[in-house]
Amino acid sequence: MSEARTLVNTAQLNRTRYRVVLLLVVLLFTVVFIGPIYLLVTDGLKGTTEAIRTPPTFYPHQVVAGNYRDAWDRLNIAQLLLNTVWYAFGALAFQIVLDVAAAYSLSKLRPVLGNAILGLMLATLMIPAMVLVVPQYLTVLDLPLLHQNLLNSPWAIWLPSVANAFNIYLLKRFFDSVPKELLDSAAIDGAGPLRTLIAIVLPMSRPIIGVVSIFALVNVWKDFLWPLLVEPDPTKQTLNAGIYSLSLGVPENVLIAAAAISAVPTVLFFLVFQRSVMSGLTAGSLKG
């Protein structure tokens, strides 16, 4: 007897099942990640009573678009936004200069005990951030040797963000992939280590420097506890900390609208630079 013929063979049926399962998984993860953002934005469009209702509503029954305007005006978001940009790009400038120098030294200049120093840097990643809050605060309160109080100054945010072991490791891994022959050719032409770094290595390192820049900006932008501690003046705080400090007496729906506004820059950052992040993280994975 011949085998029964079907319109869809087994291989096609398996591919169809695979695609259906993949689609369901993608939809599930989309709901998990997009759901909170959707609720944040829509809750900012609700009235006060509806915003605090339990169980919550999944869409505003009565749209109150003025919540976002009230949040912008009552919480002085324009000033807080300028503060955050100032702190974020200042931290970025320090990280680019000092972390690039440290990573280049460990990768190409080969200092004594360089591997041990790198290992100690990476070991700091295992320390919970909350453990470092108190010693960092005491350091900012009375800067060693200089005996300066850095509270309510940008330095209180800039200096602790400079030594970032993860960024140094990413940069070093990329610098390790730069061909040694290229650096030797520069040395033969009379270029010193600094000129080689500026003229040859840095132009090749734009992908990884872009990734480090994004990480530096986002870390300052999303931070809450540290700016709240070291910038007691609400007019000098970052966006997240300032919204919290100025929230007394502000309705719940207006606070939610302010939180939605504060989330917009980081979401835009991800959407615009997601390809740069992936290309930068894989840029140093292959030699040559």
Side-chain angles (χ1 to χ4, degrees):
M1 296 178 62
S2 60
E3 295 182 358
R5 296 184 178 181
T6 59
L7 294 177
V8 181
N9 60 35
T10 305
Q12 290 176 332
L13 184 60
N14 290 337
R15 283 197 297 268
T16 303
R17 290 174 178 173
Y18 169 78
R19 290 173 180 172
V20 170
V21 172
L22 179 62
L23 177 61
L24 292 176
V25 171
V26 170
L27 289 176
L28 175 61
F29 276 92
T30 301
V31 171
V32 170
F33 287 104
I34 302 298
I37 299 177
Y38 167 79
L39 292 176
L40 180 66
V41 174
T42 55
D43 283 355
L45 295 172
K46 298 176 182 178
T48 305
T49 304
E50 187 179 1
I52 60 176
R53 180 182 300 175
T54 303
T57 56
F58 289 97
Y59 61 92
H61 294 162
Q62 183 178 0
V63 176
V64 185
N67 290 340
Y68 285 90
R69 183 181 63 253
D70 292 344
W72 185 272
D73 294 335
R74 296 182 63 172
L75 296 172
N76 197 17
I77 289 182
Q79 179 62 49
L80 297 178
L81 191 61
L82 289 176
N83 294 344
T84 309
V85 170
W86 172 239
Y87 295 145
F89 281 92
L92 170 62
F94 281 107
Q95 282 198 32
I96 291 298
V97 173
L98 298 177
D99 289 1
V100 165
Y104 182 73
S105 300
L106 293 171
S107 175
K108 297 304 181 184
L109 302 184
R110 303 291 184 180
V112 178
L113 300 178
N115 290 333
I117 294 173
L118 178 62
L120 292 174
M121 286 184 181
L122 295 179
T124 61
L125 298 176
M126 307 299 173
I127 303 175
M130 296 304 297
V131 175
L132 301 175
V133 169
V134 173
Q136 284 183 347
Y137 182 80
L138 294 176
T139 302
V140 168
L141 194 63
D142 184 13
L143 193 65
L145 300 179
L146 299 179
H147 299 291
Q148 295 290 322
N149 187 338
L150 301 181
L151 295 183
N152 273 326
S153 74
W155 297 100
I157 293 178
W158 291 343
L159 292 181
S161 66
V162 168
N164 190 303
F166 182 69
N167 287 345
I168 292 175
Y169 171 73
L170 287 180
L171 289 165
K172 179 186 180 301
R173 190 182 70 169
F174 183 88
F175 293 156
D176 287 342
S177 68
V178 176
K180 186 176 183 299
E181 293 77 9
L182 191 61
L183 304 184
D184 292 339
S185 300
I188 293 174
D189 291 339
L194 181 59
R195 183 180 174 186
T196 302
L197 172 63
I198 296 175
I200 297 177
V201 177
L202 287 184
M204 299 173 58
S205 307
R206 283 178 293 182
I208 193 63
I209 290 178
V211 172
V212 170
S213 301
I214 293 169
F215 286 167
L217 293 174
V218 172
N219 283 339
V220 174
W221 206 284
K222 69 181 179 61
D223 200 5
F224 171 76
L225 179 60
W226 185 246
L228 189 66
L229 289 175
V230 299
E231 306 291 342
D233 185 355
T235 62
K236 296 182 178 181
Q237 290 177 347
T238 58
L239 192 56
N240 295 330
I243 290 174
Y244 172 79
S245 299
L246 300 173
S247 62
L248 185 63
V250 178
E252 191 77 18
N253 54 340
V254 176
L255 283 179
I256 296 174
I261 294 174
S262 68
V264 168
T266 52
V267 173
L268 291 179
F269 251 73
F270 172 77
L271 294 177
V272 173
F273 296 106
Q274 56 179 325
R275 290 187 178 180
S276 300
V277 171
M278 297 307 299
S279 62
L281 290 175
T282 58
S285 59
L286 297 176
K287 291 288 184 180

